[in-house]
Amino acid sequence: MSSTELRRTALDATHRALGATMTDFAGWDMPLRYGSERDEHLAVRSRAGLFDLSHMGEITVTGPRAAELLDFALVGNIGSVKPGRARYTMICREDGGILDDLIVYRLGETEYMVVANASNAQVVLDALTERAAGFDAEVRDDRDAYALLAVQGPESPAIVKSLTDADLDGLKYYAGLPGTVAGVPALIARTGYTGEDGFELFVKPEDAVELWRALTEAGEGAGLVPCGLSCRDTLRLEAGMPLYGHELTTALTPFDAGLGRVVKFEKEGDFVGRAALTEAASRAEQNPPRVLVGLVAEGRRVPRAGYRVVAGTEVIGEVTSGAPSPTLGKPIAMAYVDPAHAAPGTAGVGVDIRGSHEPYEVVALPFYKRQK
Amino acid sequence: MSNPQQLRYSKEHEWLSGAEDGASTVGITEHAANALGDVVFVQLPEVGDSVSAGETCGELESTKSVSDLYSPVSGEVTEVNEDVVNDPSLVNSAPFEGGWLFKVRITDEPADLLSADEYTAFTAG
């Protein structure tokens, strides 16, 4: 147990009233699950789930040169993001190591919201603040200014539509618009981390309970259930989405993680990590690094982060995330493996599960893709 | 949750029945099952295995983690629950009934097994 007090979201009493099992996540006391994490997972795949994600770190960047600051501080081409749109990007160290993966929403001509992982929010805030020196732009810690609720799953458009006049049909994936939901002012974003269609609603903390209640009522007939972080992890794993601390770390550059496409060398001006990343890109081309692949178990034992991937007596990689997949009905994992063993269908690949080599099938990611 | 009065409990969250036909039944408590989350795989000792009180004799795999299964007593395994091997979710849905794990002919048992009331107090603290 940590000796420091855990932070609680505005929905803390709601979670406890629902009987949630709580867990310490990056210094926050968060709901892990309300009942069965498997049932919550399947509800998101087939109907809808409601998540409290208020632990995520919101940082507002404003000012005449906000875009230039973000282009300098991050590896993406943020200046090219149109108002109302969002972009997945990363913030790297000078040596190219990944500090965090981020979603940046362009809220206006000169206003952006950067959403960092809870565990990295302070690191990202500090880096942005430091990198802002010399730019006519302000970096503001807005972690306490927002609660974040997510509605995810095929029924989520109907549920959110019943509570808002905002043009959700016109709202594309990776876009956000201001509006009201259940009378509560919200930034409505069509983003998520589950592989399903869905919405993330950024609201004032004092409005969170009212919005949660309204969404729960509106979703009752559609089978919406409250969902915890446990099923969020299996949902993102099935969708092949990286998680910081697992697939992404400071020890890897975006090129090592197979996400070199997020690095935009063509953008104007220098950016933090450019020289190291240029080198990493050419190194990756000449000497391909380990490849992030999917593994599907033939048996029922579950691979966990850190377990070795083997071929015969040779160690050929390492598991970064693993869990039983509720959708596939089998254990699955993401792992970095040597390129020689990375092709889907490669024979003879196994995972060392506490001393026993269990056979695994190498597959392309993601494990699950929704039907559009 | 209520812990059945007729059972005895270990501090590692196993329960133990009285002897029927010479063997006692072992399972994990509802408290432990709830803490684990959805159990997806169980590895049990084999019939004829000798188990020792407080030592590992199997494992319970849940969505998020794997936990060792300890034997609350020493003895010989006389039966394992094949239903729970085929459907590990029984550990969650019926930990004190259909989700039992194995039966053991006791040769020795530790003195510190808890009564239902003592175990309830132990898990409340």
Side-chain angles (χ1 to χ4, degrees):
Chain A
M1 275 288 160
S2 149
S3 58
T4 53
E5 193 84 355
L6 291 179
R7 301 183 70 184
R8 296 180 172 195
T9 76
L11 289 158
D12 189 72
T14 303
H15 301 318
R16 285 166 206 280
L18 288 166
T21 299
M22 306 296 284
T23 188
D24 173 0
F25 188 89
W28 290 81
D29 205 14
M30 299 299 292
L32 184 64
R33 53 190 151 83
Y34 299 84
S36 156
E37 58 241 331
R38 185 175 173 279
D39 292 349
E40 292 169 20
H41 180 113
L42 295 174
V44 173
R45 286 278 178 260
S46 61
R47 304 187 304 274
L50 177 58
F51 296 82
D52 177 12
L53 305 176
S54 300
H55 60 313
M56 299 293 285
E58 296 86 2
I59 300 163
T60 302
V61 179
T62 56
R65 296 192 62 201
E68 283 159 80
L69 160 59
L70 290 171
D71 274 338
F72 170 71
L74 312 180
V75 300
N77 191 345
I78 307 304
S80 71
V81 177
K82 294 191 167 57
R85 301 305 302 263
R87 182 147 308 164
Y88 177 78
T89 186
M90 291 182 185
I91 181 165
C92 288
R93 300 192 301 202
E94 198 68 62
D95 71 359
I98 302 165
L99 276 178
D100 201 10
D101 62 336
L102 308 166
I103 293 182
V104 178
Y105 298 88
R106 187 169 193 175
L107 303 182
E109 242 355 280
T110 59
E111 182 172 358
Y112 296 82
M113 181 170 70
V114 176
V115 181
N117 284 296
S119 53
N120 292 331
Q122 189 64 48
V123 168
V124 174
L125 179 67
D126 291 346
L128 285 177
T129 305
E130 192 188 317
R131 294 173 191 187
F135 288 93
D136 186 3
E138 186 205 348
V139 175
R140 190 171 72 226
D141 179 2
D142 267 344
R143 283 176 289 183
D144 293 337
Y146 293 103
L148 174 56
L149 280 64
V151 190
Q152 300 279 302
E155 294 291 338
S156 58
I159 294 167
V160 179
K161 254 184 221 174
S162 74
L163 296 172
T164 185
D165 296 332
D167 175 21
L168 298 190
D169 291 329
L171 186 66
K172 296 190 179 117
Y173 189 51
Y174 265 80
L177 88 176
T180 57
V181 180
V184 166
L187 170 67
I188 307 166
R190 200 160 204 156
T191 43
Y193 193 48
T194 61
E196 298 299 332
D197 192 7
F199 301 88
E200 294 186 310
L201 307 169
F202 295 86
V203 299
K204 286 189 196 133
E206 55 264 39
D207 292 332
V209 170
E210 168 59 19
L211 181 57
W212 181 281
R213 191 195 57 75
L215 288 165
T216 300
E217 262 174 38
E220 210 171 2
L224 173 131
V225 298
C227 292
L229 294 184
S230 184
C231 81
R232 185 169 162 85
D233 191 46
T234 49
L235 287 160
R236 71 92 196 168
L237 175 58
E238 285 184 350
M241 295 173 174
L243 173 62
Y244 198 86
H246 288 254
E247 286 72 37
L248 310 175
T249 71
T250 49
L252 298 175
T253 71
F255 296 95
D256 301 312
L259 291 164
R261 61 190 149 75
V262 306
V263 181
K264 303 297 182 191
F265 291 118
E266 69 276 16
K267 66 181 173 178
E268 270 180 45
D270 196 16
F271 63 92
V272 178
R274 183 192 272 273
L277 289 168
T278 304
E279 219 170 282
S282 93
R283 205 167 49 229
E285 204 160 306
Q286 286 155 22
N287 187 12
R290 281 183 167 175
V291 181
L292 189 65
V293 298
L295 299 173
V296 177
E298 291 169 26
R300 287 159 71 167
R301 304 181 97 190
V302 185
R304 307 288 177 184
Y307 284 14
R308 289 175 301 181
V309 183
V310 293
T313 56
E314 195 189 350
V315 176
I316 58 156
E318 188 175 305
V319 171
T320 50
S321 296
S325 161
T327 305
L328 277 68
K330 296 172 180 179
I332 58 171
M334 286 201 269
Y336 283 110
V337 302
D338 292 339
H341 300 273
T346 302
V349 172
V351 176
D352 182 343
I353 298 191
R354 301 183 293 286
S356 137
H357 287 193
E358 303 283 327
Y360 272 77
E361 184 188 354
V362 179
V363 301
L365 293 169
F367 299 97
Y368 167 86
K369 205 167 189 179
R370 76 185 161 99
Q371 307 293 315
K372 302 215 174 167
Chain B
M1 92 189 63
S2 76
N3 296 300
Q5 283 295 330
Q6 73 278 17
L7 303 177
R8 290 176 298 154
Y9 299 86
S10 76
K11 289 182 177 173
E12 281 79 37
H13 308 288
E14 288 90 28
W15 56 261
L16 178 74
S17 76
E20 295 155 17
D21 302 329
S24 296
T25 306
V26 174
I28 67 162
T29 64
E30 186 173 359
H31 174 84
N34 284 346
L36 283 172
D38 294 342
V39 175
V40 295
F41 174 80
V42 296
Q43 188 188 42
L44 299 176
E46 288 177 21
V47 172
D49 280 359
S50 289
V51 292
S52 300
E55 289 188 10
T56 306
C57 64
E59 59 186 42
L60 297 164
E61 184 117 46
S62 66
T63 307
K64 292 306 282 180
S65 67
V66 60
S67 306
D68 285 326
L69 171 65
Y70 298 95
S71 180
V73 291
S74 300
E76 185 192 334
V77 175
T78 62
E79 191 180 341
V80 297
N81 185 356
E82 293 298 338
D83 289 346
V84 84
V85 172
N86 294 326
D87 180 8
S89 72
L90 285 171
V91 174
N92 296 105
S93 59
F96 293 116
E97 290 152 6
W100 65 275
L101 298 177
F102 63 93
K103 295 189 181 184
V104 57
R105 187 177 296 120
I106 300 173
T107 56
D108 193 25
E109 65 175 67
D112 61 350
L113 292 177
L114 307 174
S115 69
D117 290 344
E118 286 167 339
Y119 180 72
T120 302
F122 173 69
T123 52

